[in-house]
Amino acid sequence: MATPLTSAIMGAVSSPRLAIALAQCGGLSFIHQNNTVEEQAAMVTAVKRHKAGFRFSDINIKPSATLGEVTILLESAERDVAVVTDDGSPHGTFIGLISTDDFHPRRHNLDDDVASRMRPAADLVTAPPTVSLSEANTLIWDNRLDVLPIVDGTGALQSIVLRRDYELHKQFRNESIDAEKRFRVGAGVNTRDYRERIPALVEAGADLLCIDSSDGFSVWQSETIAYVRERYGDRVRIGAGNVVDGRGFRYLADAGADFVKVGIGGGSICITRDQKGIGRGQASALIDVVEARDAYARETGIYVPLCCDGGLITDSHMAVAFALGADFVMLGRYFARCAESPAPIVRVGGQLFKEYWGEGSNRARNVTRYDHGGGTKLTFEEGVDGYVPYAGSLYDNVDTTIVKLKSTLISCGATTIADFHRDAVLVPVSQQSFLQNTAEIQLRDLQSDTAR
Ligand code: IMP
């Protein structure tokens, strides 16, 4: 991986659309496992089938919607064209395109339907799913198109190619792709139905598996890893977790985990510590596990990479996680805020938010991750259901994060994460140090600044 960021194994986070965007940026998503084996495998297949440069159509509308509704849709997504499909879904029958050039709020009645102003499919250039990216781009430039819809033989929309992605695609030098140039994608698994789930995910093309559990120090994880080794040898890679101390790490490393995930109770949506008194401060957990990982490597010659999972809110938190010894990080809240996450955008008090809920909340009811012996229902919640401020495009956010992380490494004289583990110096700081930053400055509010 060129970008050491992974997205959390959560229904509010790791959808195929987000997985594609993150793989384009060099990271990796783990498709969540709070669904049927067939549903999860289909999501993995959707990522593996998605050709580089071909996007999911995310701004879609029905022909019967009003011009007022399409205006709100385009404004909130900061886009200027929507795809019209019969049912308003990304894979519905392709009906046409409607852009901000096709109507004007003062010239046209916003109660009129989209069908009255859209450019219908019959007048548009489209291409079949067999088209290559370079052929698609030729069609775009020859016909002066902004959007090329990819439509299959039944008339269903498959994806779109955007003119503005032409330059963008050339920037994706670090894409996470396999030997067949398909995007890489991970998948969460559990310790119950792994005999059915793992073969289906491997068949669908999952590149990496991870046991999804809030408590990884268990014989069930060891059995799940043993199943993978017996059936696939080293051909299938599987991580395990989560643990918060050296004993938990060693148990999973001895069981053959290909990486170990660290963190209990630190997630932004997590209430496990309040509910059960279980968990550990994320830095304390990481320091302990890193020590165990390094001792294990010295003793056995086997380096088991560590993933720091939960509670990383800012880019500087990630920098500290790497400095403490993490090899990569897993992020829930961070990605849930992005346009590409599967959760809806909502407007609260004039501000845009994305919905974000824990796998241990009643909304997710993930009983394979949170087993309280209650069968198919949670006996109590270990996560909350809430909102996080909308942060726009994943591409922009990841880009900024990576620039900042590189800058942190450079400040410490390191050019690789391994060097950073070795060279970074961590010092305790007082509460006063936190208070110092910008404490005596009234920050300028550019929007309401009349003094200029
Ligand atoms: P975040 O990046 O701080 O939002 O934390 C995300 C992580 O929280 C996930 O990768 C999980 O390990 C963990 N998590 C997910 N759902 C829950 C929950 O409902 N309760 C506790 N932890 C959770």
Side-chain angles (χ1 to χ4, degrees):
M1 282 163 60
T3 303
L5 310 183
T6 62
S7 69
I9 312 172
M10 298 174 73
V13 180
S14 291
S15 62
R17 184 178 163 215
L18 189 129
I20 290 164
L22 184 51
Q24 284 176 316
C25 299
L28 190 81
S29 280
F30 285 89
I31 300 290
H32 75 94
Q33 54 93 23
N34 191 14
N35 47 15
T36 65
V37 170
E38 292 72 27
E39 282 164 351
Q40 193 190 13
M43 287 164 96
V44 168
T45 304
V47 180
K48 299 307 286 186
R49 286 224 181 112
H50 197 82
K51 292 193 279 180
F54 292 73
R55 276 183 179 245
F56 272 110
S57 175
D58 45 6
I59 310 296
N60 309 293
I61 195 139
K62 286 186 202 178
S64 58
T66 64
L67 295 179
E69 284 168 333
V70 79
T71 304
I72 293 170
L73 177 72
L74 293 173
E75 272 177 12
S76 60
E78 294 177 11
R79 296 277 274 274
D80 43 26
V81 56
V83 180
V84 189
T85 58
D86 61 340
D87 56 2
S89 77
H91 296 303
T93 302
F94 176 62
I95 308 280
L97 294 174
I98 185 152
S99 81
T100 45
D101 292 340
D102 295 320
F103 65 100
H104 192 284
R106 263 180 258 137
R107 285 196 157 269
H108 301 101
N109 185 344
L110 290 182
D111 291 330
D112 285 353
D113 60 22
V114 163
S116 68
R117 293 301 309 166
M118 70 180 187
R119 281 163 290 147
D123 298 347
L124 296 168
V125 178
T126 63
T130 47
V131 75
S132 70
L133 185 58
S134 103
E135 288 163 350
N137 279 322
T138 304
L139 282 171
I140 285 178
W141 289 103
D142 285 356
N143 296 284
R144 299 185 174 85
L145 309 175
D146 289 324
V147 182
L148 176 68
I150 307 298
V151 181
D152 72 14
T154 69
L157 182 70
Q158 291 299 311
S159 55
I160 52 175
V161 182
L162 301 180
R163 177 207 290 256
R164 73 183 173 85
D165 279 355
Y166 181 69
E167 286 304 322
L168 202 64
H169 182 63
K170 289 206 215 149
Q171 292 166 16
F172 293 143
R173 303 257 178 248
N174 291 326
E175 285 176 335
S176 300
I177 46 174
D178 64 19
E180 292 167 49
K181 298 209 163 149
R182 301 175 306 171
F183 288 122
R184 287 202 185 276
V185 64
V189 298
N190 64 72
T191 56
R192 289 151 192 272
D193 63 10
Y194 58 90
R195 288 185 186 81
E196 295 85 50
R197 198 172 285 270
I198 289 179
L201 293 170
V202 170
E203 177 71 17
D207 294 277
L208 186 61
L209 305 175
C210 182
I211 307 176
D212 176 30
S213 167
S214 60
D215 180 3
F217 192 176
S218 84
V219 70
W220 298 297
Q221 296 228 345
S222 171
E223 285 170 6
T224 307
I225 298 167
Y227 165 82
V228 169
R229 290 291 167 264
E230 270 161 38
R231 186 167 172 146
Y232 302 102
D234 283 342
R235 201 158 57 78
V236 170
R237 297 294 186 172
I238 183 164
N242 287 9
V243 297
V244 288
D245 69 4
R247 282 173 64 217
F249 168 83
R250 190 166 274 267
Y251 180 77
L252 294 176
D254 282 340
D258 288 304
F259 65 91
V260 169
K261 209 141 66 70
V262 182
I264 298 178
S268 60
I269 30 49
C270 179
I271 51 171
T272 299
R273 290 181 195 160
D274 306 333
Q275 294 281 61
K276 304 202 301 186
I278 292 291
R280 191 170 188 189
Q282 191 63 13
S284 306
L286 203 52
I287 288 166
D288 199 346
V289 179
V290 163
E291 223 174 87
R293 175 203 57 196
D294 292 344
Y296 196 79
R298 281 193 301 274
E299 279 169 40
T300 64
I302 300 169
Y303 183 88
V304 182
L306 294 182
C307 173
C308 176
D309 173 26
L312 302 175
I313 305 299
T314 63
D315 298 318
S316 61
H317 292 164
M318 294 181 216
V320 173
F322 287 114
L324 287 171
D327 296 281
F328 61 105
V329 297
M330 179 169 273
L331 307 160
R333 181 187 181 278
Y334 177 94
F335 288 119
R337 301 171 310 142
C338 296
E340 291 77 3
S341 83
I345 295 188
V346 286
R347 196 182 282 273
V348 183
Q351 237 196 307
L352 293 178
F353 289 84
K354 274 236 160 183
E355 295 183 6
Y356 180 40
W357 59 93
E359 287 299 300
S361 67
N362 275 333
R363 180 162 179 184
R365 290 179 192 282
N366 187 341
V367 286
T368 58
R369 185 177 165 91
Y370 295 97
D371 172 30
H372 308 137
T376 53
K377 73 178 200 15
L378 297 176
T379 3
F380 60 91
E381 290 189 292
E382 290 194 43
V384 297
D385 179 3
Y387 304 121
V388 284
Y390 178 60
S393 147
L394 178 147
Y395 304 95
D396 295 341
N397 280 282
V398 169
D399 201 35
T400 307
T401 297
I402 292 303
V403 171
K404 281 199 216 170
L405 287 174
K406 283 184 176 167
S407 180
T408 306
L409 261 72
I410 290 165
S411 292
C412 296
T415 54
T416 65
I417 290 177
D419 286 354
F420 191 50
H421 289 169
R422 191 195 57 215
D423 295 343
V425 177
L426 284 136
V427 290
V429 293
S430 66
Q431 183 63 15
Q432 182 60 24
S433 313
F434 281 106
L435 295 178
Q436 261 169 11
N437 293 123
T438 67
E440 298 302 322
I441 298 287
Q442 173 68 47
L443 291 181
R444 180 182 282 179
D445 177 352
L446 285 179
Q447 268 164 5
S448 59
D449 187 357
T450 49
R452 299 171 75 219

